[in-house]
Amino acid sequence: MFPYKLPIKFILLWIANLAVLLTISLTTGFHEILMDVIRGQVHWIYLAVGGILAGLEEALWDKLKGN
């Protein structure tokens, strides 16, 4: 039995979401606000939100394709 692998589409969506989230937060100054409130550990928030968005986008694509 093979170990579970993440689909390449999910990984690419996750990377794209991380790039968009970081670009938006750094250009608007939201990153500094998060750093002040959370005191570090902001990268975990970006990873979690990017993963959630990637999962939702993949589910939406599958639903629209009828899978």
Coordinates of all heavy atoms in Angstrom, one line a residue:
M1 N 0.8 -1.2 0.0 CA 0.0 0.0 0.0 C 0.9 1.2 0.0 O 1.8 1.3 0.8 CB -0.9 0.0 1.2 CG -1.9 1.0 1.3 SD -3.2 0.5 2.3 CE -4.3 1.9 2.1
F2 N 0.6 2.2 -0.9 CA 1.3 3.4 -1.0 C 0.9 4.4 0.0 O -0.3 4.6 0.3 CB 1.2 3.9 -2.4 CG 1.7 3.0 -3.5 CD1 0.9 2.3 -4.3 CD2 3.1 2.8 -3.6 CE1 1.4 1.4 -5.2 CE2 3.6 2.0 -4.6 CZ 2.7 1.3 -5.4
P3 N 1.8 5.2 0.5 CA 1.4 6.3 1.4 C 0.7 7.4 0.7 O 0.8 7.6 -0.6 CB 2.8 6.9 1.9 CG 3.8 6.5 0.9 CD 3.3 5.2 0.3
Y4 N -0.2 8.1 1.4 CA -1.0 9.1 0.8 C -0.2 10.3 0.3 O 0.7 10.7 1.0 CB -2.1 9.6 1.8 CG -2.9 10.7 1.2 CD1 -3.9 10.4 0.3 CD2 -2.8 12.0 1.6 CE1 -4.7 11.4 -0.2 CE2 -3.6 13.0 1.1 CZ -4.5 12.7 0.2 OH -5.3 13.7 -0.3
K5 N -0.4 10.8 -0.9 CA 0.3 11.9 -1.4 C -0.7 13.0 -1.7 O -1.8 12.8 -2.2 CB 1.0 11.5 -2.7 CG 2.1 10.5 -2.6 CD 2.8 10.3 -3.9 CE 3.9 9.3 -3.7 NZ 4.6 9.0 -5.0
L6 N -0.3 14.3 -1.4 CA -1.1 15.4 -1.8 C -1.1 15.6 -3.3 O -0.1 15.4 -4.0 CB -0.6 16.7 -1.1 CG -0.7 16.8 0.4 CD1 0.0 18.0 0.9 CD2 -2.2 16.8 0.8
P7 N -2.3 15.9 -3.8 CA -2.4 16.1 -5.3 C -1.6 17.3 -5.7 O -1.5 18.3 -4.9 CB -3.9 16.3 -5.5 CG -4.6 16.2 -4.2 CD -3.6 16.0 -3.2
I8 N -1.0 17.3 -6.8 CA -0.1 18.4 -7.3 C -1.0 19.7 -7.4 O -0.4 20.8 -7.2 CB 0.6 18.0 -8.6 CG1 1.7 19.0 -8.9 CG2 -0.4 17.9 -9.7 CD1 2.9 18.9 -8.0
K9 N -2.2 19.5 -7.8 CA -3.1 20.7 -7.9 C -3.2 21.4 -6.6 O -3.2 22.7 -6.5 CB -4.5 20.3 -8.5 CG -5.4 21.5 -8.7 CD -6.7 21.1 -9.5 CE -7.4 20.1 -8.8 NZ -8.8 19.8 -9.4
F10 N -3.4 20.7 -5.5 CA -3.5 21.3 -4.2 C -2.3 22.0 -3.8 O -2.3 23.1 -3.3 CB -3.9 20.2 -3.2 CG -3.9 20.7 -1.8 CD1 -5.0 21.4 -1.3 CD2 -2.8 20.5 -0.9 CE1 -5.1 21.8 0.0 CE2 -2.9 21.0 0.4 CZ -4.0 21.7 0.9
I11 N -1.1 21.4 -4.0 CA 0.2 22.0 -3.7 C 0.4 23.3 -4.5 O 0.8 24.3 -3.9 CB 1.3 21.0 -3.9 CG1 1.2 19.8 -2.9 CG2 2.7 21.7 -3.7 CD1 2.1 18.7 -3.2
L12 N 0.1 23.3 -5.8 CA 0.3 24.5 -6.6 C -0.7 25.6 -6.1 O -0.3 26.8 -6.1 CB 0.1 24.2 -8.1 CG 1.2 23.3 -8.7 CD1 0.8 22.9 -10.1 CD2 2.5 23.9 -8.6
L13 N -1.9 25.2 -5.8 CA -2.9 26.2 -5.3 C -2.4 26.8 -4.0 O -2.5 28.0 -3.7 CB -4.3 25.6 -5.1 CG -5.1 25.4 -6.4 CD1 -6.3 24.5 -6.0 CD2 -5.5 26.7 -7.0
W14 N -1.9 26.0 -3.1 CA -1.4 26.4 -1.8 C -0.2 27.4 -2.0 O -0.2 28.5 -1.4 CB -0.9 25.2 -1.0 CG -0.7 25.4 0.5 CD1 -0.8 26.6 1.1 CD2 -0.4 24.5 1.4 NE1 -0.6 26.4 2.5 CE2 -0.4 25.1 2.7 CE3 -0.2 23.1 1.4 CZ2 -0.1 24.5 3.9 CZ3 0.0 22.4 2.6 CH2 0.1 23.1 3.8
I15 N 0.7 27.1 -2.9 CA 1.8 28.0 -3.2 C 1.3 29.3 -3.7 O 1.8 30.4 -3.3 CB 2.8 27.3 -4.1 CG1 3.5 26.2 -3.4 CG2 3.9 28.3 -4.6 CD1 4.4 25.3 -4.2
A16 N 0.4 29.3 -4.7 CA -0.2 30.5 -5.3 C -0.9 31.3 -4.2 O -0.8 32.5 -4.2 CB -1.1 30.1 -6.4
N17 N -1.7 30.7 -3.3 CA -2.4 31.4 -2.3 C -1.4 32.0 -1.3 O -1.6 33.2 -0.9 CB -3.3 30.5 -1.5 CG -4.5 30.1 -2.3 OD1 -5.0 30.9 -3.1 ND2 -5.1 29.0 -2.1
L18 N -0.3 31.3 -1.0 CA 0.7 31.9 -0.1 C 1.3 33.2 -0.7 O 1.6 34.2 0.0 CB 1.8 30.9 0.2 CG 1.4 29.8 1.2 CD1 2.6 28.8 1.3 CD2 1.1 30.4 2.6
A19 N 1.6 33.1 -2.0 CA 2.2 34.2 -2.7 C 1.3 35.4 -2.7 O 1.7 36.6 -2.4 CB 2.6 33.9 -4.1
V20 N 0.0 35.2 -2.9 CA -1.0 36.3 -3.0 C -1.2 36.8 -1.6 O -1.2 38.1 -1.4 CB -2.3 35.8 -3.5 CG1 -3.4 36.8 -3.3 CG2 -2.2 35.4 -5.0
L21 N -1.3 36.0 -0.6 CA -1.5 36.4 0.8 C -0.3 37.3 1.3 O -0.5 38.3 1.9 CB -1.7 35.3 1.8 CG -3.0 34.6 1.7 CD1 -3.0 33.3 2.6 CD2 -4.1 35.5 2.2
L22 N 0.9 36.8 1.0 CA 2.1 37.5 1.4 C 2.2 38.9 0.7 O 2.6 39.9 1.3 CB 3.3 36.7 1.2 CG 3.6 35.6 2.3 CD1 4.7 34.7 1.8 CD2 3.8 36.2 3.6
T23 N 1.9 38.9 -0.6 CA 2.0 40.1 -1.3 C 1.0 41.1 -0.8 O 1.4 42.3 -0.6 CB 1.7 39.8 -2.8 OG1 2.7 38.9 -3.3 CG2 1.9 41.1 -3.7
I24 N -0.2 40.7 -0.6 CA -1.2 41.6 -0.1 C -0.9 42.1 1.3 O -1.0 43.3 1.5 CB -2.6 41.0 -0.2 CG1 -3.1 40.8 -1.6 CG2 -3.7 41.8 0.6 CD1 -4.3 40.0 -1.8
S25 N -0.5 41.2 2.2 CA -0.3 41.7 3.5 C 1.0 42.5 3.7 O 1.0 43.5 4.5 CB -0.1 40.5 4.5 OG 1.0 39.7 4.2
L26 N 2.0 42.3 2.9 CA 3.2 43.1 2.9 C 3.0 44.5 2.3 O 3.6 45.5 2.8 CB 4.4 42.4 2.3 CG 4.9 41.2 3.1 CD1 6.0 40.5 2.3 CD2 5.4 41.6 4.4
T27 N 2.2 44.6 1.2 CA 2.0 45.9 0.6 C 1.0 46.7 1.3 O 1.1 48.0 1.3 CB 1.5 45.7 -0.9 OG1 0.4 44.9 -0.9 CG2 2.6 45.0 -1.7
T28 N 0.1 46.1 2.1 CA -0.9 46.9 2.8 C -0.5 47.2 4.2 O -1.1 48.0 4.9 CB -2.2 46.2 2.8 OG1 -2.1 45.0 3.5 CG2 -2.8 46.0 1.5
G29 N 0.6 46.6 4.7 CA 1.0 46.8 6.1 C 0.4 45.9 7.1 O 0.5 46.1 8.3
F30 N -0.5 45.0 6.6 CA -1.2 44.1 7.5 C -0.2 43.1 8.2 O -0.5 42.7 9.4 CB -2.2 43.3 6.7 CG -3.1 42.5 7.6 CD1 -4.0 43.1 8.5 CD2 -3.1 41.1 7.5 CE1 -4.9 42.3 9.3 CE2 -3.9 40.3 8.3 CZ -4.8 41.0 9.2
H31 N 0.9 42.8 7.6 CA 1.9 42.0 8.2 C 2.4 42.5 9.5 O 2.6 41.8 10.5 CB 3.0 41.7 7.2 CG 4.1 40.8 7.7 ND1 3.8 39.4 7.8 CD2 5.3 41.0 8.2 CE1 4.9 38.8 8.3 NE2 5.8 39.8 8.5
E32 N 2.7 43.8 9.5 CA 3.2 44.5 10.7 C 2.2 44.5 11.9 O 2.5 44.3 13.0 CB 3.7 45.9 10.5 CG 5.0 46.0 9.7 CD 4.8 45.8 8.2 OE1 3.7 46.0 7.7 OE2 5.8 45.4 7.5
I33 N 0.9 44.6 11.5 CA -0.2 44.6 12.5 C -0.2 43.2 13.1 O -0.3 43.0 14.3 CB -1.5 45.0 11.9 CG1 -1.5 46.4 11.4 CG2 -2.7 44.7 12.8 CD1 -2.7 46.8 10.6
L34 N -0.1 42.1 12.3 CA -0.1 40.8 12.8 C 1.1 40.5 13.7 O 0.9 39.9 14.7 CB -0.2 39.8 11.6 CG -1.5 39.5 10.9 CD1 -1.3 38.6 9.8 CD2 -2.5 39.0 11.9
M35 N 2.2 41.0 13.3 CA 3.4 40.8 14.1 C 3.3 41.5 15.5 O 3.8 40.9 16.5 CB 4.7 41.4 13.4 CG 5.1 40.6 12.2 SD 5.7 39.0 12.5 CE 7.3 39.4 13.2
D36 N 2.6 42.6 15.5 CA 2.4 43.3 16.8 C 1.4 42.5 17.7 O 1.6 42.4 18.9 CB 1.9 44.7 16.6 CG 3.0 45.6 16.0 OD1 4.2 45.3 16.2 OD2 2.7 46.7 15.5
V37 N 0.4 42.0 17.1 CA -0.7 41.4 17.8 C -0.2 40.0 18.3 O -0.4 39.6 19.4 CB -2.0 41.3 17.0 CG1 -3.0 40.4 17.7 CG2 -2.5 42.7 16.7
I38 N 0.4 39.2 17.4 CA 0.7 37.8 17.7 C 2.1 37.6 18.2 O 2.4 36.6 18.8 CB 0.4 37.0 16.4 CG1 -1.0 37.1 16.0 CG2 0.8 35.5 16.6 CD1 -1.4 36.4 14.8
R39 N 3.0 38.6 18.0 CA 4.4 38.5 18.5 C 5.2 37.3 17.9 O 5.7 36.5 18.6 CB 4.4 38.3 20.0 CG 3.6 39.2 20.8 CD 4.4 40.4 21.4 NE 3.7 41.2 22.4 CZ 2.8 42.1 22.1 NH1 2.4 42.3 20.9 NH2 2.2 42.8 23.1
G40 N 5.2 37.3 16.6 CA 6.0 36.3 15.9 C 5.1 35.4 15.1 O 4.4 35.8 14.3
Q41 N 5.2 34.1 15.2 CA 4.4 33.0 14.7 C 3.4 33.4 13.6 O 2.4 32.7 13.5 CB 3.7 32.3 15.8 CG 4.6 31.9 16.9 CD 5.8 31.1 16.5 OE1 5.7 30.2 15.6 NE2 7.0 31.4 17.0
V42 N 3.6 34.4 12.8 CA 2.7 34.8 11.8 C 2.7 33.8 10.6 O 1.7 33.6 9.9 CB 3.0 36.2 11.3 CG1 2.1 36.6 10.1 CG2 2.8 37.2 12.4
H43 N 3.9 33.2 10.4 CA 4.0 32.2 9.3 C 3.0 31.1 9.4 O 2.6 30.6 8.4 CB 5.4 31.8 9.1 CG 6.0 31.1 10.3 ND1 6.4 31.7 11.4 CD2 6.1 29.7 10.6 CE1 6.8 30.9 12.3 NE2 6.6 29.7 11.9
W44 N 2.7 30.7 10.6 CA 1.7 29.6 10.7 C 0.3 30.0 10.3 O -0.4 29.2 9.7 CB 1.7 29.1 12.2 CG 2.9 28.4 12.6 CD1 3.8 28.9 13.5 CD2 3.5 27.2 12.1 NE1 4.9 28.1 13.6 CE2 4.7 27.0 12.8 CE3 3.0 26.3 11.2 CZ2 5.5 25.9 12.6 CZ3 3.8 25.1 11.0 CH2 5.0 25.0 11.7
I45 N 0.0 31.3 10.5 CA -1.3 31.8 10.0 C -1.3 31.8 8.5 O -2.3 31.3 7.9 CB -1.5 33.2 10.6 CG1 -1.7 33.1 12.1 CG2 -2.8 33.8 9.9 CD1 -1.8 34.4 12.8
Y46 N -0.3 32.2 7.9 CA -0.2 32.2 6.4 C -0.3 30.8 5.8 O -1.1 30.6 4.9 CB 1.0 32.9 5.9 CG 1.1 34.4 6.1 CD1 2.1 35.0 6.8 CD2 0.1 35.2 5.6 CE1 2.2 36.3 7.0 CE2 0.2 36.6 5.8 CZ 1.2 37.1 6.5 OH 1.3 38.5 6.7
L47 N 0.4 29.9 6.4 CA 0.3 28.5 6.0 C -1.1 27.9 6.1 O -1.6 27.2 5.2 CB 1.4 27.6 6.7 CG 2.8 27.9 6.4 CD1 3.7 27.1 7.3 CD2 3.1 27.5 4.9
A48 N -1.7 28.1 7.3 CA -3.0 27.6 7.5 C -4.1 28.2 6.6 O -4.9 27.5 6.0 CB -3.4 27.8 9.0
V49 N -4.1 29.5 6.5 CA -5.0 30.2 5.6 C -4.8 29.8 4.1 O -5.8 29.5 3.4 CB -5.0 31.7 5.8 CG1 -5.8 32.4 4.7 CG2 -5.4 32.1 7.2
G50 N -3.6 29.7 3.7 CA -3.3 29.2 2.3 C -3.8 27.8 2.1 O -4.3 27.5 1.0
G51 N -3.6 26.9 3.1 CA -4.0 25.5 2.9 C -5.5 25.4 2.9 O -6.1 24.7 2.1
I52 N -6.2 26.2 3.7 CA -7.7 26.2 3.8 C -8.2 26.7 2.4 O -9.1 26.1 1.9 CB -8.2 27.0 4.9 CG1 -7.9 26.3 6.3 CG2 -9.7 27.3 4.8 CD1 -8.1 27.2 7.5
L53 N -7.7 27.8 1.9 CA -8.1 28.4 0.7 C -7.9 27.4 -0.5 O -8.7 27.2 -1.4 CB -7.4 29.7 0.4 CG -7.9 30.9 1.2 CD1 -7.0 32.1 0.9 CD2 -9.3 31.2 0.9
A54 N -6.7 26.7 -0.5 CA -6.4 25.7 -1.5 C -7.4 24.6 -1.5 O -7.9 24.1 -2.5 CB -5.0 25.2 -1.4
G55 N -7.8 24.1 -0.3 CA -8.7 23.0 -0.2 C -10.1 23.4 -0.7 O -10.8 22.7 -1.4
L56 N -10.5 24.7 -0.3 CA -11.8 25.2 -0.8 C -11.8 25.4 -2.3 O -12.8 25.0 -3.0 CB -12.1 26.5 -0.1 CG -12.5 26.4 1.4 CD1 -12.6 27.8 2.0 CD2 -13.7 25.6 1.6
E57 N -10.7 25.9 -2.9 CA -10.7 26.1 -4.3 C -10.7 24.7 -5.0 O -11.4 24.6 -6.1 CB -9.4 26.8 -4.7 CG -9.5 28.3 -4.2 CD -8.1 29.0 -4.4 OE1 -7.1 28.3 -4.8 OE2 -8.1 30.2 -4.0
E58 N -10.0 23.7 -4.5 CA -10.0 22.4 -5.2 C -11.4 21.8 -5.1 O -11.8 21.2 -6.1 CB -8.9 21.5 -4.5 CG -8.7 20.2 -5.2 CD -7.6 19.4 -4.7 OE1 -7.0 19.8 -3.6 OE2 -7.2 18.5 -5.3
A59 N -12.0 21.9 -3.9 CA -13.4 21.4 -3.8 C -14.4 22.1 -4.8 O -15.2 21.4 -5.4 CB -13.9 21.5 -2.4
L60 N -14.2 23.4 -4.9 CA -15.1 24.1 -5.8 C -14.8 23.7 -7.3 O -15.8 23.5 -8.1 CB -14.8 25.6 -5.7 CG -15.6 26.6 -6.6 CD1 -17.1 26.4 -6.3 CD2 -15.2 28.0 -6.4
W61 N -13.5 23.5 -7.7 CA -13.2 23.1 -9.0 C -13.8 21.7 -9.3 O -14.4 21.4 -10.3 CB -11.7 23.0 -9.2 CG -11.1 24.3 -9.6 CD1 -11.7 25.5 -9.7 CD2 -9.8 24.5 -10.0 NE1 -10.8 26.5 -10.1 CE2 -9.6 25.9 -10.3 CE3 -8.7 23.7 -10.1 CZ2 -8.4 26.4 -10.7 CZ3 -7.5 24.2 -10.5 CH2 -7.3 25.6 -10.8
D62 N -13.7 20.8 -8.3 CA -14.3 19.4 -8.5 C -15.8 19.5 -8.6 O -16.4 18.7 -9.3 CB -13.9 18.5 -7.3 CG -12.4 18.2 -7.4 OD1 -11.8 18.3 -8.4 OD2 -11.9 17.7 -6.3
K63 N -16.4 20.4 -7.8 CA -17.9 20.5 -7.8 C -18.3 21.0 -9.2 O -19.3 20.6 -9.8 CB -18.4 21.4 -6.7 CG -19.8 21.5 -6.6 CD -20.3 22.4 -5.5 CE -21.8 22.6 -5.5 NZ -22.2 23.4 -4.4
L64 N -17.6 22.0 -9.7 CA -18.0 22.6 -11.0 C -17.7 21.7 -12.1 O -18.5 21.7 -13.1 CB -17.2 23.9 -11.2 CG -17.6 25.1 -10.3 CD1 -16.7 26.3 -10.6 CD2 -19.0 25.5 -10.5
K65 N -16.7 20.8 -12.0 CA -16.5 19.8 -13.1 C -17.4 18.6 -13.0 O -17.5 17.8 -13.9 CB -15.0 19.3 -13.0 CG -14.0 20.4 -13.4 CD -12.6 19.9 -13.2 CE -12.1 19.0 -14.2 NZ -10.7 18.7 -14.1
G66 N -18.1 18.5 -11.8 CA -19.0 17.4 -11.7 C -18.4 16.1 -11.1 O -19.0 15.0 -11.2
N67 N -17.2 16.2 -10.5 CA -16.5 15.0 -9.9 C -17.0 14.8 -8.6 O -17.0 15.4 -7.7 CB -15.0 15.2 -10.0 CG -14.5 15.2 -11.4 OD1 -15.2 14.7 -12.3 ND2 -13.3 15.7 -11.6

